[in-house]
Amino acid sequence: MTASEMDTTDYLGIAEALSYAASHGIIVSQAKNSAIGTNLSHAPMTYRPTPLHRPCYHHAIDITNALNTVVYRIAHNHTYLRESLAETASADAEFTGRLLALLDNAPTKPSVELGIFRYDYFVHEQSNKKELRMVEMNCIAASFGCLSTKTSEMHRFLSTHPTCNFNINTNDLPQNDATTALTRTFSVAHKEYLKLHNISENRSTGIAMIVQPGERNAYDQDILRSAVWESAKILMIRVTLEEINQYGVLEDGHLVLRLPSMGYPVLITISYYRAGYTPDDYPSEKQWMARGLIESSLAAKCPSAAVQLVGTKKIQQILDKPGEIERFVDRAEDAAAIRATFAAQYSLSTADGGDEVAKMGIERSGDFVLKPQREGGGNNIYSQEMKEALQTMTAEERSAYVLMERIRPVVVKGTLLRDGRSFVVDIVSEFGVYGVHVITAGKDVENGSAGTLLRSKSASQDDGGVAAGVAVLDSPVLVD
Ligand code: ADP
Ligand code: MG
């Protein structure tokens, strides 16, 4: 973006938006390791809500329950996970391989399971037809639910404000209840745990929110922590994997944290990860030991290693194979509705015809995206760089990637607000639906959707999310 693209016509409305964000906690730290409450800035966001095709919005929400069940079923099929990920794990031994090895730690005693997911989509446009296309399933650390709720509220406020000429009917702004839905889900899972394991009311209990040291996005997380306390008086404690390694023990199978800062032991009902999705989160054996301890405890793992592995790009590629997603969905119409969102994905393993696939990627580099087994944005390879990567990688290195058909999202004009400045650019928007799933001793207690996220980025950027500094928070205005 250049200064010439700055939006100067709507300065009163933009000032209102910036002020609303700052005064309602739509904020991020400006740098890692900032002291709490210092170095704050409004989160990057759009000025206006962005049009989203109404049928696509409903399509995404409607398939969430079935997708939650797919994740659950695959996570419990360790043979399937091991076989599907064998080659990936040997090519990516230090991360996928180590997560796969953690499957052996799972306790045999029944407990509570908690899934919090986000299924991300683009609206793909071809010959004037708009269709939903899944970008990925996030099975760990699906973030921004709380800031997203606030962004929806901000856009609703601005839509009625005289300084903003949005010309939007507020009936077309869908309610986004991510914060309350996530909060409720934590409360349900926590209480299920206390009930199932007969935990005495006299014990101090809580939820561990496992975070990256020095996290910039701590305020999105802390809206959730305070909401869980306010609504259910459940303590959610920020801890790092290193602290779990140092202060965590197992007592009768329960995970207990003896943090010096707390002064008393806390029985952890849920280990909720907002970290642990990238190899960078495991700089030493300490973090892996913490992960192993959590896996072998009865605590509800959000997610377990198994669930995290379902979120790998490799499993998502396999699910695209004919008949594959259908194995994990009860009703044929649900399977068809999920499959309708799939973009083509291909294995690059030699045994699956990877040489031919690589050739196709090299010849038509604009039509595909090369994806490694990584999360967090900024890892995919595109265009010329993809071509070169496919030409130079060994067959083994190549098998740790999948090749995905490039989605062509709808492009619209948008005003991005970043560091107090506005920019008018062509944008594309990625729509996410949160899924929540609580299971006690193998039985569904809750299975549903829990609000949405819209993130927009300049159409000229290939990759990247909000945390990666590319996308900004947005909310949808539904259009027919
Ligand atoms: P990550 O786990 O890093 O978030 P994603 O699969 O979500 O991985 O890819 C990161 C970003 O790359 C997405 O947010 C999207 O902008 C872009 N992207 C991913 N897959 C595709 C695709 N098939 N076509 C176009 N863009 C894509
Ligand atoms: Mg993503």
Side-chain angles (χ1 to χ4, degrees):
M1 286 172 284
T2 63
S4 63
E5 291 161 321
M6 282 175 66
D7 189 332
T8 49
T9 51
D10 280 299
Y11 67 96
L12 276 181
I14 287 170
E16 205 62 52
L18 294 169
S19 173
Y20 185 101
S23 57
H24 289 75
I26 308 179
I27 51 175
V28 290
S29 291
Q30 285 180 307
K32 280 193 100 173
N33 298 310
S34 300
I36 300 170
T38 67
N39 250 330
L40 307 175
S41 158
H42 72 87
M45 60 196 190
T46 59
Y47 172 44
R48 293 179 188 81
T50 297
L52 180 70
H53 192 46
R54 194 185 307 269
C56 290
Y57 171 86
H58 290 294
H59 184 174
I61 290 176
D62 289 348
I63 58 180
T64 304
N65 285 35
L67 284 168
N68 291 342
T69 301
V70 168
V71 176
Y72 177 82
R73 289 180 176 166
I74 299 176
H76 281 267
N77 190 338
H78 287 189
T79 312
Y80 184 87
L81 277 177
R82 285 201 178 90
E83 284 174 4
S84 306
L85 294 171
E87 205 175 348
T88 313
S90 62
D92 181 34
E94 284 309 306
F95 193 61
T96 309
R98 291 201 72 162
L99 287 173
L100 205 54
L102 284 174
L103 296 186
D104 296 327
N105 286 34
T108 47
K109 190 173 168 185
S111 194
V112 176
E113 292 168 77
L114 168 63
I116 296 183
F117 310 108
R118 201 187 63 231
Y119 306 104
D120 286 339
Y121 309 86
F122 276 132
V123 174
H124 175 82
E125 187 165 27
Q126 210 169 17
S127 335
N128 272 334
K129 221 170 117 204
K130 294 188 175 71
E131 285 178 344
L132 202 61
R133 286 281 181 282
M134 187 186 283
V135 175
E136 65 155 346
M137 311 199 289
N138 293 286
C139 295
I140 180 166
S143 60
F144 290 113
C146 295
L147 287 186
S148 167
T149 302
K150 285 179 178 285
T151 305
S152 296
E153 288 163 0
M154 177 186 75
H155 282 152
R156 182 177 297 277
F157 167 85
L158 296 174
S159 298
T160 62
H161 201 271
T163 57
C164 308
N165 300 310
F166 285 4
N167 206 7
I168 282 172
N169 181 343
T170 49
N171 291 333
D172 294 326
L173 300 175
Q175 284 297 337
N176 183 6
D177 61 349
T179 301
T180 44
L182 294 174
T183 303
R184 206 185 98 76
T185 305
F186 277 108
S187 168
V188 168
H190 177 84
K191 287 174 185 157
E192 283 292 307
Y193 191 95
L194 300 184
K195 196 169 72 181
L196 180 73
H197 297 296
N198 275 318
I199 307 294
S200 149
E201 278 183 20
N202 301 325
R203 286 203 73 160
S204 295
T205 58
I207 298 170
M209 179 188 260
I210 301 165
V211 297
Q212 295 176 332
E215 168 73 73
R216 277 187 67 204
N217 188 28
Y219 299 103
D220 176 55
Q221 300 168 346
D222 284 351
I223 297 166
L224 185 64
R225 286 199 315 120
S226 47
V228 169
W229 178 258
E230 270 171 356
S231 68
K233 296 292 171 286
I234 299 167
L235 194 62
M236 218 184 217
I237 311 166
R238 295 179 75 88
V239 279
T240 60
L241 282 169
E242 186 168 354
E243 286 171 317
I244 294 211
N245 177 55
Q246 197 170 357
Y247 304 116
V249 288
L250 290 193
E251 289 179 9
D252 289 336
H254 300 292
L255 178 64
V256 174
L257 283 186
R258 297 175 172 277
L259 293 165
S261 54
M262 298 288 300
Y264 52 88
V266 180
L267 185 152
I268 298 300
T269 56
I270 301 167
S271 291
Y272 171 49
Y273 289 87
R274 294 293 290 258
Y277 52 86
T278 147
D280 300 344
D281 290 340
Y282 303 85
S284 75
E285 281 309 301
K286 289 182 199 166
Q287 287 78 13
W288 284 113
M289 275 157 60
R291 187 77 201 248
L293 181 78
I294 295 166
E295 286 300 312
S296 52
S297 77
L298 291 169
K301 292 130 214 131
C302 183
S304 62
V307 168
Q308 182 174 352
L309 287 165
V310 180
T312 53
K313 308 291 186 273
K314 184 66 192 175
I315 293 292
Q316 293 170 52
Q317 173 256 306
I318 290 174
L319 289 177
D320 181 48
K321 294 204 299 200
E324 208 64 22
I325 185 81
E326 290 76 6
R327 290 174 58 181
F328 303 101
V329 183
D330 290 332
R331 299 186 333 167
E333 58 267 41
D334 291 338
I338 294 173
R339 181 165 288 286
T341 71
F342 283 179
Q345 300 205 44
Y346 304 90
S347 165
L348 282 158
S349 153
T350 309
D352 300 330
D355 290 344
E356 279 304 305
V357 173
K359 198 163 152 253
M360 176 172 78
I362 290 165
E363 283 168 4
R364 292 168 47 207
S365 58
D367 295 339
F368 297 97
V369 179
L370 187 61
K371 294 181 142 185
Q373 310 306 316
R374 291 287 176 268
E375 303 285 331
N379 300 301
N380 299 337
I381 310 179
Y382 302 79
S383 310
Q384 182 62 22
E385 230 182 288
M386 177 180 92
K387 190 171 168 178
E388 282 159 24
L390 285 173
Q391 280 165 333
T392 50
M393 275 193 278
T394 65
E396 204 208 353
E397 283 166 348
R398 209 179 60 191
S399 68
Y401 292 75
V402 299
L403 194 73
M404 183 172 183
E405 175 195 345
R406 184 147 188 183
I407 306 166
R408 295 291 171 195
V410 174
V411 179
V412 295
K413 275 263 180 278
T415 300
L416 310 186
L417 305 180
R418 202 188 280 287
D419 297 325
R421 303 199 312 154
S422 64
F423 307 89
V424 181
V425 283
D426 282 339
I427 58 168
V428 295
S429 305
E430 191 170 333
F431 179 57
V433 179
Y434 295 94
V436 288
H437 202 185
V438 180
I439 305 107
T440 301
K443 289 212 171 55
D444 268 17
V445 177
E446 298 255 325
N447 181 359
S449 64
T452 62
L453 170 70
L454 194 72
R455 288 172 299 169
S456 295
K457 62 176 184 180
S458 158
S460 61
Q461 293 277 356
D462 285 331
D463 205 297
V466 178
V470 174
V472 308
L473 298 169
D474 197 346
S475 81
V477 48
L478 302 183
V479 292
D480 296 304

Short mmCIF file of all heavy atoms in Angstrom, two decimals, residues 120 122 134-136 138 313 343 369 371 374-380 382 404-409 430 455 457 461-465, ligand 1:
data_model
loop_
_atom_site.label_atom_id
_atom_site.label_comp_id
_atom_site.label_asym_id
_atom_site.label_seq_id
_atom_site.Cartn_x
_atom_site.Cartn_y
_atom_site.Cartn_z
N ASP A 120 -11.78 -22.52 7.89
CA ASP A 120 -11.58 -21.29 7.11
C ASP A 120 -11.90 -21.49 5.63
O ASP A 120 -11.53 -22.52 5.05
CB ASP A 120 -10.12 -20.82 7.21
CG ASP A 120 -9.80 -20.22 8.58
OD1 ASP A 120 -10.74 -19.80 9.28
OD2 ASP A 120 -8.60 -20.16 8.92
N PHE A 122 -12.62 -19.39 1.61
CA PHE A 122 -12.74 -18.24 0.72
C PHE A 122 -14.04 -18.44 -0.05
O PHE A 122 -14.52 -19.57 -0.23
CB PHE A 122 -11.63 -18.23 -0.32
CG PHE A 122 -10.33 -17.61 0.13
CD1 PHE A 122 -9.12 -18.27 -0.09
CD2 PHE A 122 -10.29 -16.36 0.72
CE1 PHE A 122 -7.91 -17.70 0.29
CE2 PHE A 122 -9.08 -15.78 1.11
CZ PHE A 122 -7.89 -16.46 0.90
N MET A 134 -12.96 -24.41 1.06
CA MET A 134 -12.24 -24.51 2.32
C MET A 134 -10.74 -24.26 2.12
O MET A 134 -10.13 -24.86 1.23
CB MET A 134 -12.45 -25.88 2.96
CG MET A 134 -11.86 -25.95 4.36
SD MET A 134 -11.94 -27.59 5.08
CE MET A 134 -13.65 -27.67 5.55
N VAL A 135 -10.18 -23.37 2.93
CA VAL A 135 -8.73 -23.14 2.89
C VAL A 135 -8.05 -24.17 3.79
O VAL A 135 -7.09 -24.83 3.40
CB VAL A 135 -8.39 -21.71 3.37
CG1 VAL A 135 -6.88 -21.50 3.45
CG2 VAL A 135 -9.02 -20.68 2.44
N GLU A 136 -8.56 -24.30 5.00
CA GLU A 136 -7.99 -25.27 5.94
C GLU A 136 -8.88 -25.43 7.15
O GLU A 136 -9.75 -24.60 7.42
CB GLU A 136 -6.59 -24.84 6.40
CG GLU A 136 -6.60 -23.56 7.20
CD GLU A 136 -5.41 -23.40 8.15
OE1 GLU A 136 -4.69 -24.39 8.42
OE2 GLU A 136 -5.22 -22.29 8.65
N ASN A 138 -8.51 -25.52 11.15
CA ASN A 138 -7.57 -25.21 12.25
C ASN A 138 -7.98 -26.03 13.45
O ASN A 138 -9.08 -25.85 13.98
CB ASN A 138 -7.64 -23.74 12.61
CG ASN A 138 -7.13 -22.85 11.49
OD1 ASN A 138 -5.93 -22.78 11.26
ND2 ASN A 138 -8.04 -22.22 10.78
N LYS A 313 -1.97 -30.39 7.04
CA LYS A 313 -2.34 -30.21 5.63
C LYS A 313 -2.43 -31.59 4.95
O LYS A 313 -3.21 -31.77 4.01
CB LYS A 313 -1.31 -29.34 4.91
CG LYS A 313 -1.04 -28.00 5.62
CD LYS A 313 -2.22 -27.05 5.58
CE LYS A 313 -1.91 -25.68 6.15
NZ LYS A 313 -2.10 -25.52 7.59
N ALA A 343 -11.31 -27.69 -2.40
CA ALA A 343 -10.48 -27.41 -3.58
C ALA A 343 -9.63 -28.67 -3.78
O ALA A 343 -9.36 -29.38 -2.81
CB ALA A 343 -9.59 -26.21 -3.31
N VAL A 369 -0.97 -23.96 -4.98
CA VAL A 369 -0.25 -23.48 -3.80
C VAL A 369 0.47 -24.68 -3.21
O VAL A 369 -0.13 -25.77 -3.13
CB VAL A 369 -1.24 -22.93 -2.75
CG1 VAL A 369 -0.52 -22.44 -1.52
CG2 VAL A 369 -2.10 -21.82 -3.33
N LYS A 371 1.94 -26.39 0.04
CA LYS A 371 1.74 -26.21 1.49
C LYS A 371 2.55 -27.20 2.32
O LYS A 371 2.39 -28.40 2.16
CB LYS A 371 0.25 -26.41 1.82
CG LYS A 371 -0.67 -25.36 1.23
CD LYS A 371 -2.10 -25.65 1.65
CE LYS A 371 -2.84 -24.38 1.92
NZ LYS A 371 -4.19 -24.63 2.44
N ARG A 374 2.75 -26.88 8.30
CA ARG A 374 2.98 -25.82 9.27
C ARG A 374 1.72 -24.99 9.44
O ARG A 374 0.89 -24.94 8.54
CB ARG A 374 4.12 -24.90 8.80
CG ARG A 374 5.48 -25.55 8.83
CD ARG A 374 6.02 -25.73 10.24
NE ARG A 374 7.29 -26.44 10.23
CZ ARG A 374 7.44 -27.77 10.35
NH1 ARG A 374 6.37 -28.53 10.50
NH2 ARG A 374 8.62 -28.32 10.34
N GLU A 375 1.63 -24.32 10.59
CA GLU A 375 0.47 -23.48 10.91
C GLU A 375 0.95 -22.07 11.21
O GLU A 375 2.10 -21.88 11.59
CB GLU A 375 -0.22 -23.99 12.19
CG GLU A 375 -0.68 -25.41 12.16
CD GLU A 375 -1.92 -25.61 11.33
OE1 GLU A 375 -2.72 -24.67 11.23
OE2 GLU A 375 -2.06 -26.69 10.77
N GLY A 376 0.04 -21.12 11.10
CA GLY A 376 0.36 -19.78 11.60
C GLY A 376 0.56 -18.74 10.51
O GLY A 376 0.82 -17.59 10.80
N GLY A 377 0.43 -19.15 9.26
CA GLY A 377 0.52 -18.18 8.16
C GLY A 377 1.95 -17.95 7.71
O GLY A 377 2.91 -18.11 8.47
N GLY A 378 2.08 -17.59 6.43
CA GLY A 378 3.39 -17.23 5.90
C GLY A 378 4.28 -18.41 5.53
O GLY A 378 5.47 -18.22 5.26
N ASN A 379 3.73 -19.62 5.51
CA ASN A 379 4.57 -20.79 5.22
C ASN A 379 4.41 -21.35 3.81
O ASN A 379 5.26 -22.11 3.35
CB ASN A 379 4.26 -21.91 6.22
CG ASN A 379 4.52 -21.50 7.66
OD1 ASN A 379 5.63 -21.13 8.02
ND2 ASN A 379 3.48 -21.53 8.48
N ASN A 380 3.29 -21.00 3.17
CA ASN A 380 3.02 -21.59 1.85
C ASN A 380 3.93 -21.00 0.78
O ASN A 380 4.47 -19.90 0.94
CB ASN A 380 1.57 -21.35 1.45
CG ASN A 380 0.61 -21.99 2.44
OD1 ASN A 380 0.99 -22.93 3.13
ND2 ASN A 380 -0.60 -21.48 2.49
N TYR A 382 4.30 -20.03 -3.39
CA TYR A 382 3.46 -19.68 -4.55
C TYR A 382 4.31 -19.41 -5.80
O TYR A 382 5.50 -19.07 -5.70
CB TYR A 382 2.66 -18.40 -4.26
CG TYR A 382 1.77 -18.48 -3.05
CD1 TYR A 382 2.28 -18.34 -1.76
CD2 TYR A 382 0.40 -18.72 -3.18
CE1 TYR A 382 1.47 -18.42 -0.64
CE2 TYR A 382 -0.42 -18.81 -2.07
CZ TYR A 382 0.11 -18.66 -0.80
OH TYR A 382 -0.70 -18.74 0.30
N MET A 404 -2.06 -27.80 -3.55
CA MET A 404 -3.49 -27.48 -3.50
C MET A 404 -3.86 -26.53 -4.63
O MET A 404 -3.11 -25.59 -4.94
CB MET A 404 -3.80 -26.81 -2.15
CG MET A 404 -5.25 -26.48 -1.94
SD MET A 404 -5.52 -25.92 -0.23
CE MET A 404 -7.29 -25.68 -0.25
N GLU A 405 -4.99 -26.81 -5.21
CA GLU A 405 -5.54 -25.93 -6.26
C GLU A 405 -5.64 -24.51 -5.70
O GLU A 405 -6.07 -24.32 -4.56
CB GLU A 405 -6.93 -26.45 -6.62
CG GLU A 405 -7.72 -25.63 -7.58
CD GLU A 405 -9.20 -26.04 -7.57
OE1 GLU A 405 -9.57 -27.12 -7.05
OE2 GLU A 405 -10.00 -25.24 -8.07
N ARG A 406 -5.25 -23.53 -6.48
CA ARG A 406 -5.32 -22.16 -5.99
C ARG A 406 -6.75 -21.63 -6.05
O ARG A 406 -7.39 -21.65 -7.11
CB ARG A 406 -4.39 -21.27 -6.82
CG ARG A 406 -4.36 -19.88 -6.30
CD ARG A 406 -3.04 -19.22 -6.48
NE ARG A 406 -3.08 -17.96 -5.77
CZ ARG A 406 -2.12 -17.09 -5.75
NH1 ARG A 406 -1.01 -17.33 -6.39
NH2 ARG A 406 -2.24 -15.97 -5.08
N ILE A 407 -7.23 -21.18 -4.91
CA ILE A 407 -8.59 -20.62 -4.85
C ILE A 407 -8.50 -19.18 -5.34
O ILE A 407 -7.53 -18.48 -5.06
CB ILE A 407 -9.13 -20.66 -3.40
CG1 ILE A 407 -9.03 -22.08 -2.83
CG2 ILE A 407 -10.56 -20.15 -3.34
CD1 ILE A 407 -9.23 -22.16 -1.32
N ARG A 408 -9.53 -18.77 -6.11
CA ARG A 408 -9.57 -17.39 -6.62
C ARG A 408 -10.66 -16.64 -5.90
O ARG A 408 -11.82 -16.61 -6.34
CB ARG A 408 -9.85 -17.40 -8.12
CG ARG A 408 -8.76 -18.04 -8.95
CD ARG A 408 -7.51 -17.18 -8.94
NE ARG A 408 -6.38 -17.88 -9.56
CZ ARG A 408 -5.13 -17.48 -9.42
NH1 ARG A 408 -4.84 -16.42 -8.69
NH2 ARG A 408 -4.15 -18.15 -9.99
N PRO A 409 -10.32 -16.03 -4.74
CA PRO A 409 -11.38 -15.39 -3.97
C PRO A 409 -11.92 -14.13 -4.64
O PRO A 409 -11.22 -13.47 -5.41
CB PRO A 409 -10.70 -15.04 -2.65
CG PRO A 409 -9.25 -15.20 -2.85
CD PRO A 409 -9.01 -15.95 -4.12
N GLU A 430 -11.18 -13.94 4.05
CA GLU A 430 -11.24 -15.36 4.45
C GLU A 430 -12.21 -15.47 5.61
O GLU A 430 -12.07 -14.77 6.61
CB GLU A 430 -9.83 -15.81 4.85
CG GLU A 430 -9.68 -17.31 5.02
CD GLU A 430 -8.21 -17.74 5.18
OE1 GLU A 430 -7.29 -17.05 4.67
OE2 GLU A 430 -7.99 -18.78 5.82
N ARG A 455 -11.47 -12.25 8.04
CA ARG A 455 -10.18 -11.55 7.95
C ARG A 455 -9.97 -11.14 6.51
O ARG A 455 -10.22 -11.93 5.61
CB ARG A 455 -9.04 -12.51 8.32
CG ARG A 455 -8.97 -12.86 9.78
CD ARG A 455 -7.96 -13.96 10.00
NE ARG A 455 -8.31 -15.17 9.29
CZ ARG A 455 -7.50 -16.21 9.13
NH1 ARG A 455 -6.27 -16.18 9.60
NH2 ARG A 455 -7.91 -17.28 8.48
N LYS A 457 -7.40 -9.16 3.53
CA LYS A 457 -6.02 -8.74 3.24
C LYS A 457 -5.99 -8.18 1.83
O LYS A 457 -6.90 -8.43 1.03
CB LYS A 457 -5.08 -9.95 3.35
CG LYS A 457 -5.40 -11.06 2.37
CD LYS A 457 -4.42 -12.21 2.43
CE LYS A 457 -4.77 -13.21 1.35
NZ LYS A 457 -3.91 -14.36 1.29
N GLN A 461 -1.50 -9.80 -1.74
CA GLN A 461 -0.74 -10.65 -0.81
C GLN A 461 -1.18 -12.09 -0.98
O GLN A 461 -2.37 -12.38 -0.92
CB GLN A 461 -1.03 -10.23 0.65
CG GLN A 461 -0.52 -8.87 1.02
CD GLN A 461 0.95 -8.90 1.40
OE1 GLN A 461 1.56 -9.97 1.45
NE2 GLN A 461 1.53 -7.75 1.65
N ASP A 462 -0.21 -13.00 -1.15
CA ASP A 462 -0.56 -14.40 -1.33
C ASP A 462 -1.02 -15.03 -0.03
O ASP A 462 -1.99 -15.76 0.03
CB ASP A 462 0.65 -15.18 -1.85
CG ASP A 462 0.91 -14.91 -3.31
OD1 ASP A 462 -0.06 -14.62 -4.03
OD2 ASP A 462 2.09 -14.98 -3.73
N ASP A 463 -0.27 -14.78 1.02
CA ASP A 463 -0.39 -15.60 2.23
C ASP A 463 -0.53 -14.72 3.45
O ASP A 463 -0.36 -13.52 3.39
CB ASP A 463 0.92 -16.40 2.37
CG ASP A 463 0.72 -17.67 3.18
OD1 ASP A 463 0.37 -17.58 4.36
OD2 ASP A 463 0.91 -18.74 2.60
N GLY A 464 -0.84 -15.34 4.55
CA GLY A 464 -0.67 -14.67 5.83
C GLY A 464 -1.94 -14.30 6.53
O GLY A 464 -2.92 -13.91 5.92
N GLY A 465 -1.92 -14.42 7.86
CA GLY A 465 -3.06 -14.11 8.69
C GLY A 465 -2.86 -12.79 9.42
O GLY A 465 -1.96 -12.02 9.11
P1 ADP B 1 -1.80 -21.67 7.87
O1 ADP B 1 -1.91 -22.89 8.70
O2 ADP B 1 -0.41 -21.15 7.75
O3 ADP B 1 -2.80 -20.63 8.26
P2 ADP B 1 -3.36 -21.85 5.41
O4 ADP B 1 -3.71 -23.08 4.67
O5 ADP B 1 -4.46 -21.18 6.09
O6 ADP B 1 -2.16 -22.20 6.41
O7 ADP B 1 -2.66 -20.85 4.39
C1 ADP B 1 -2.26 -19.55 4.76
C2 ADP B 1 -2.87 -18.52 3.84
O8 ADP B 1 -2.52 -18.80 2.49
C3 ADP B 1 -4.39 -18.50 3.86
O9 ADP B 1 -4.87 -17.66 4.89
C4 ADP B 1 -4.72 -17.98 2.47
O10 ADP B 1 -4.62 -16.57 2.45
C5 ADP B 1 -3.59 -18.54 1.61
N1 ADP B 1 -4.01 -19.82 0.98
C6 ADP B 1 -3.96 -21.05 1.52
N2 ADP B 1 -4.44 -21.99 0.67
C7 ADP B 1 -4.79 -21.34 -0.45
C8 ADP B 1 -5.34 -21.73 -1.71
N3 ADP B 1 -5.61 -23.01 -1.99
N4 ADP B 1 -5.58 -20.77 -2.63
C9 ADP B 1 -5.31 -19.46 -2.37
N5 ADP B 1 -4.77 -19.03 -1.23
C10 ADP B 1 -4.51 -19.94 -0.26
#
